[in-house]
Amino acid sequence: MSEPVVRLRALRSVTLRSTACADAGEFYREVWGLRQVEQDTGAVWLRGTSSEHHVLQLQQAERNALGKVAFAVATPREIDEAATRLVAQGIPLVTEPGKLDQVGGGYGLRFADPEGRLIELSADVFAVTPDDPDGHPAVPRKLAHVVLNTADIDAACEFYTRVLGMRISDWSEHQMAFLRCNADHHVIAFNQAPFASVNHVAYEMASIDHFMRGIGRLRHNGITPLWGPGRHGPGSNTFGYFADPAGLVCEYTSEVEQVVEDAWLCRVWRRTPELSDLWGTAGPPSKDVRTHMAGVPDPGYTAWWQG
């Protein structure tokens, strides 16, 4: 088995292509709690309270889709080495290694996974002054994880473990796989589905108190959860799922399980209501939340990428 092309340090950001970019931008800024750092025609960049320049970019589009997932790498040299290894494995580069001409800057490269999802590896991205993560405002700290629907969960897991060195933390039967790149139980998860699409994007709150007050703020704005609040079995994280104005699912979460690498044993969780919600407060996911999480078929970056 070949070595991974790079050592990932963290999940950095996600780009979502949205049919309601302006309304979604207002939602994530005014209600969800992210702070806008940049705006352009048909695009907006938003941050949490950490030093990460942004955790979410929204792009106006004709259909909801994944724009890209960005991972942090330690140095530009590792980016260059990753490029050589990707090409050696027959994985073409969408963007050659170099300075990234984008909001937040950085040095990086881009390539696509087998279902056409655009992946960015970056280093030296601009930092911003962190806000007080333990302060009173119930706003997201960072991007916690991205869940992606896949037509072939085994192929997706094989690619992300072999090429990017991610590790499978747990399975939910053979329906979902939870992958990590650091101590967080998962930063990417795959859900077996008829087609590739965005399932949901989760944002980490600083504590369970911040998590509950965030849900309370949405309720005060007339927005109730699609599912939650509750606590998942795999990852042991709290959850509250909502839909943004484009219908894309966003999640507040907190207290994700931390993995001790040498001691961790991958588990297989049965798909039962009592394991999907350990608290028993949320009940099983409704048909409505499943419909939102199914999304629409995503043909991949070649359908919209302009270089």
Side-chain angles (χ1 to χ4, degrees):
M1 183 176 177
S2 58
E3 291 293 318
V5 302
V6 71
R7 181 185 173 191
L8 303 180
R9 302 305 178 108
L11 177 63
R12 173 159 270 155
S13 65
V14 64
T15 298
L16 297 176
R17 295 177 58 76
S18 170
T19 57
C21 182
D23 290 341
E26 181 179 4
F27 167 81
Y28 284 107
R29 183 178 62 248
E30 302 298 331
V31 182
W32 197 247
L34 297 178
R35 180 181 298 181
Q36 184 173 304
V37 285
E38 294 281 351
Q39 185 175 12
D40 201 350
T41 303
V44 62
W45 292 258
L46 302 115
R47 57 164 295 202
T49 62
S50 73
S51 61
E52 194 66 65
H53 182 272
H54 64 275
V55 299
L56 173 64
Q57 178 189 358
L58 297 170
Q59 296 174 335
Q60 180 64 39
E62 293 182 358
R63 63 191 298 167
N64 291 336
L66 180 72
K68 70 180 180 187
V69 179
F71 295 97
V73 174
T75 66
R77 179 177 178 179
E78 292 182 34
I79 297 289
D80 293 336
E81 292 171 349
T84 301
R85 293 169 182 159
L86 284 165
V87 172
Q89 292 192 25
I91 301 170
L93 301 180
V94 175
T95 302
E96 297 283 340
K99 290 185 177 180
L100 296 172
D101 183 19
Q102 63 181 16
V103 169
Y107 186 94
L109 60 78
R110 302 184 187 98
F111 63 98
D113 77 3
E115 291 182 293
R117 302 181 188 90
L118 196 62
I119 301 170
E120 180 179 284
L121 307 179
S122 59
D124 291 355
V125 170
F126 299 155
V128 292
T129 303
D131 292 332
D132 177 10
D134 297 318
H136 184 74
V139 297
R141 188 172 76 85
K142 68 173 186 177
L143 188 62
H145 58 259
V146 179
V147 176
L148 301 167
N149 295 319
T150 175
D152 190 338
I153 195 168
D154 293 317
C157 289
E158 193 277 336
F159 183 88
Y160 280 73
T161 54
R162 175 177 58 85
V163 176
L164 294 175
M166 302 187 81
R167 283 84 67 200
I168 298 177
S169 297
D170 281 324
W171 286 88
S172 177
E173 295 187 3
H174 196 243
Q175 179 65 37
M176 289 191 71
F178 301 86
L179 285 76
R180 68 185 186 276
C181 68
N182 50 29
D184 289 343
H185 178 271
H186 59 285
V187 297
I188 293 288
F190 288 104
N191 177 63
Q192 181 66 45
F195 47 77
S197 61
V198 177
N199 185 288
H200 71 270
V201 176
Y203 302 82
E204 182 189 278
M205 304 297 268
S207 70
I208 194 169
D209 183 65
H210 289 76
F211 165 81
M212 289 302 294
R213 286 191 287 110
I215 291 176
R217 181 179 63 249
L218 267 78
R219 285 186 176 277
H220 288 316
N221 279 274
I223 302 170
T224 57
L226 291 173
W227 187 31
R231 184 184 289 276
H232 285 313
S236 192
N237 52 298
T238 64
F239 67 86
Y241 295 94
F242 298 83
D244 76 11
L248 289 161
V249 179
C250 47
E251 176 192 5
Y252 279 151
T253 190
S254 65
E255 299 186 345
V256 65
E257 192 161 12
Q258 295 298 291
V259 170
V260 178
E261 198 67 41
D262 293 339
W264 186 262
L265 295 175
C266 180
R267 299 159 294 186
V268 178
W269 295 77
R270 291 169 51 238
R271 294 180 65 79
T272 61
E274 62 268 23
L275 293 178
S276 64
D277 174 22
L278 299 179
W279 287 347
T281 54
S286 66
K287 183 178 179 180
D288 185 38
V289 71
R290 290 188 183 279
T291 298
H292 276 86
M293 288 180 171
V296 295
D298 185 344
Y301 83 97
T302 54
W304 54 268
W305 179 255
Q306 303 296 322

